[in-house]
Amino acid sequence: GRVVAPSVVVVAFLALWQIITAAGLVHPLVLPSPATIFAVFVRDGAMLLENAGYTALEALAGFVIGNIVGLLLAIAVVDSQAGRRTVYPLALVFHAMPVVAISPALMLWLGSGLAPKIFVTSFLVFFPMSINGLRGLQSADASLSELLYTLSASRWQRLIKVRLPASLPFV
């Protein structure tokens, strides 16, 4: 029952889609039929897989870079009131900026290769990570951090033992 019901819905959806496109209700450039899509996968499957690999590489590289830089920024400004007052509002403003608005400029500056795609992915990931990382680092238990301070723990030890574990649900 758990497999049949969703399978019936998927088959019905694909059948309806095929009927709509075969009847000409939607232009094939806007929405090709499932049969056309399947034929392209059969004909050009190797090329599509190769390009999917490049896309996955770009997405993964941007994801890793954006998350690392965003978390490092959050760590850098968590103890600085002035840093939070200047960096946090800027992060919110840039996060609200649509990527479509900056993509043409990036294509001119960085070219059409791997760099602009990785930058856009990093851009999309960086701001949520920096904002949530900062919130998570600030959510650490203050009494536990003070206890470590009284035990002569360094800033880095308090970061590793208290703040980073507290930030995990946020990041």
Side-chain angles (χ1 to χ4, degrees), residues 13-28:
F13 175 75
L14 289 173
L16 180 64
W17 179 3
Q18 182 67 37
I19 291 167
I20 288 172
T21 55
L25 298 174
V26 180
H27 194 276

Side-chain angles (χ1 to χ4, degrees), residues 15 17 22 24 30 35 53 67 102 106 130-131 135 148 154 162 165:
W17 179 3
V30 175
N67 277 314
I102 63 166
L106 289 175
S130 60
I131 292 166
R135 286 180 185 159
L148 286 177
S154 69
V162 178

Side-chain angles (χ1 to χ4, degrees), residues 93-127:
V93 167
F94 281 115
H95 178 56
M97 184 184 308
V99 176
V100 176
I102 63 166
S103 292
L106 289 175
M107 295 301 278
L108 289 173
W109 293 335
L110 301 174
S112 62
L114 222 56
K117 297 166 189 155
I118 291 175
F119 183 84
V120 166
T121 307
S122 299
F123 184 83
L124 290 171
V125 171
F126 170 78
F127 295 106

Side-chain angles (χ1 to χ4, degrees), residues 103-168:
S103 292
L106 289 175
M107 295 301 278
L108 289 173
W109 293 335
L110 301 174
S112 62
L114 222 56
K117 297 166 189 155
I118 291 175
F119 183 84
V120 166
T121 307
S122 299
F123 184 83
L124 290 171
V125 171
F126 170 78
F127 295 106
M129 172 53 83
S130 60
I131 292 166
N132 289 331
L134 185 60
R135 286 180 185 159
L137 292 169
Q138 289 174 332
S139 75
D141 186 8
S143 61
L144 187 57
S145 186
E146 287 176 19
L147 173 65
L148 286 177
Y149 180 77
T150 59
L151 296 172
S152 299
S154 69
R155 178 181 182 267
W156 293 108
Q157 288 173 323
R158 290 192 310 271
L159 175 71
I160 299 294
K161 303 257 186 221
V162 178
R163 285 195 162 166
L164 282 178
S167 70
L168 286 178

